[in-house]
Amino acid sequence: MKFFVDTADVAAISELNDLGMVDGVTTNPSIILKSGRDILEVTKEICSIVSGPVSAEVVAMKSDEMIAEGRKLAAIAPNIAVKVPLTWDGLKTCKVLSSEGFMVNVTLCFSVNQALLAAKAGATFISPFIGRLDDINLDGLDLIADIRTLYDNYDFNTQILAASVRTVNHAKDCALIGADVMTAPPGVIKQMANHILTDKGLEQFMADWAKTGQKIL
Ligand code: E4P
């Protein structure tokens, strides 16, 4: 499973990228707001660090304007994936931009039918939001599994980009279900390294090592 980082925090992206943990980046208007930076400037900087797809989201509601915004965002760098909402206008935009050879990430997906339409419109990525479904007492992981079945049934090439990943269990379950990609905040990716027994075992090893009186360096 590929890891995209769900942030516009350049320092956090660089740190994970240096470890080989970054296959791409996702942003959205809320993430740009949080960064406090200009969308074109910060996206360009991210694209200079990361070679994989970097999602930048359009903000228009009508397809004509979305297409124009998408072309402008795509001109930032060859690895831009234009992010469009799963609305009828977003699907029209997806069809046009994907036909022009741009990567398109269709976001705000909450149903299998929406994922089906996005695949038919030529989406490179579909972004089903796990955490936001969990927030309303539905099961976001069920949606990932259902879309996996759907896309496999019909050999769609659209990649499942599990989004709104909030916990390490979300990450693990996405991998087991067979999501192509997950996007998660840097903190969730770093938490995946943690285990209570690792901490406990290390504490014991360090205590015993101190008793040997030895040094390696
Ligand atoms: C990524 O593409 C999404 O915008 C993001 O994962 C949403 O996450 P959230 O529901 O935690 O805001």
Side-chain angles (χ1 to χ4, degrees):
M1 183 170 70
K2 285 178 250 176
F3 283 5
F4 287 3
V5 193
D6 203 24
T7 187
D9 179 337
V10 173
I13 292 168
S14 288
E15 184 195 356
L16 288 170
N17 193 52
D18 288 347
L19 287 174
M21 301 291 177
V22 180
D23 299 303
V25 171
T26 49
T27 64
N28 62 36
S30 304
I31 286 172
I32 296 298
L33 173 68
K34 195 173 165 195
S35 77
R37 297 191 54 189
D38 174 80
I39 183 172
L40 300 178
E41 182 202 288
V42 73
T43 306
K44 189 170 182 181
E45 188 174 348
I46 294 168
C47 289
S48 73
I49 299 167
V50 174
S51 55
V54 174
S55 289
E57 188 160 343
V58 301
V59 290
M61 301 297 281
K62 294 285 172 207
S63 59
D64 285 355
E65 218 182 324
M66 278 185 192
I67 291 164
E69 287 181 351
R71 288 178 182 142
K72 183 165 179 178
L73 291 170
I76 294 172
N79 56 327
I80 287 288
V82 179
K83 206 172 179 191
V84 302
L86 213 156
T87 59
W88 202 247
D89 283 83
L91 291 170
K92 280 188 203 169
T93 304
C94 175
K95 180 69 186 161
V96 170
L97 294 180
S98 60
S99 303
E100 290 176 6
F102 298 117
M103 289 187 285
V104 181
N105 175 0
V106 180
T107 190
L108 290 167
C109 171
F110 294 95
S111 78
V112 173
N113 279 338
Q114 288 182 318
L116 177 55
L117 293 178
K120 292 181 83 68
T124 316
F125 302 103
I126 182 69
S127 288
F129 279 34
I130 299 170
R132 293 191 193 190
L133 282 167
D134 290 358
D135 287 344
I136 58 164
N137 294 322
L138 295 172
D139 192 334
L141 289 164
D142 279 353
L143 177 60
I144 303 295
D146 288 346
I147 298 172
R148 179 75 282 154
T149 302
L150 168 76
Y151 283 3
D152 289 349
N153 281 349
Y154 296 100
D155 284 334
F156 284 119
N157 291 326
T158 300
Q159 295 180 52
I160 301 173
L161 198 178
S164 193
V165 166
R166 308 256 179 88
T167 67
V168 292
N169 281 334
H170 280 162
K172 180 231 344 161
D173 288 329
C174 284
L176 293 176
I177 289 166
D180 300 287
V181 191
M182 71 141 191
T183 188
V188 172
I189 294 174
K190 290 176 92 169
Q191 278 169 30
M192 291 170 73
N194 297 346
H195 198 288
I196 183 80
L197 292 179
T198 305
D199 296 342
K200 210 174 152 193
L202 191 57
E203 199 181 327
Q204 181 68 56
F205 287 159
M206 291 305 100
D208 289 345
W209 179 249
K211 288 179 201 160
T212 69
Q214 298 179 41
K215 282 191 165 37
I216 293 176
L217 290 176

